[in-house]
Amino acid sequence: MLSLSVHQRYFIFRTPADMRKGFDGLSGLVRDHLKQNPLSGDVFVFLSRRRNQIKLLCWEGDGFILFSKRLEKGTFELPEGNESKINVDVLSCLLQGLKLRSIHKRKRYIHAA
């Protein structure tokens, strides 16, 4: 069961990834291209060239979790910009197939600790 939390960080690999890659290949992309530690507990998101497949890689303390989804019709939308870090709301909308450009968040108070 996939559980998304505001307490985790999410990074998207903006270059199309080879969906044949498994745990080791994807963690290598995290280390070499995103310059992040794949054992950090952060979630790393990969899209295929045609953007009809997505993989999420996460370390859970004693092993990797790999979530994979292939769409039978349609594509996943790549978030705009060049940032690799995305928030949980963007990832949730991406997985649900919502158009990211049409989403407008209402203003909320954010406590800066």
Side-chain angles (χ1 to χ4, degrees):
M1 177 87 183
L2 178 65
S3 175
L4 302 177
S5 166
V6 296
H7 302 292
Q8 284 182 299
R9 296 187 316 164
Y10 301 89
F11 295 92
I12 190 161
F13 190 72
R14 294 194 165 272
T15 306
D18 182 353
M19 290 293 117
R20 296 173 293 183
K21 289 185 184 293
F23 301 106
D24 297 329
L26 294 175
S27 62
L29 291 177
V30 170
R31 261 191 322 275
D32 299 340
H33 295 282
L34 289 177
K35 306 297 185 208
Q36 297 288 330
N37 179 5
L39 305 178
S40 65
D42 297 332
V43 177
F44 301 96
V45 181
F46 303 90
L47 293 169
S48 66
R49 183 171 308 282
R50 294 186 344 201
R51 291 192 316 209
N52 67 336
Q53 293 181 49
I54 191 168
K55 285 190 177 183
L56 282 68
L57 179 72
C58 180
W59 178 259
E60 195 185 61
D62 61 351
F64 281 111
I65 296 172
L66 187 61
F67 172 82
S68 181
K69 182 174 184 177
R70 184 188 72 197
L71 298 175
E72 293 301 317
K73 187 174 184 181
T75 60
F76 293 104
E77 182 179 353
L78 186 63
E80 290 182 345
N82 293 327
E83 283 290 317
S84 63
K85 189 174 180 183
I86 60 174
N87 65 38
V88 67
D89 299 327
V90 170
L91 179 57
S92 179
C93 291
L94 189 147
L95 289 171
Q96 293 176 41
L98 300 175
K99 288 186 178 182
L100 300 176
R101 286 180 225 114
S102 65
I103 296 172
H104 300 286
K105 290 185 76 173
R106 296 173 80 61
K107 190 177 269 190
R108 296 283 190 251
Y109 172 77
I110 299 174
H111 178 72

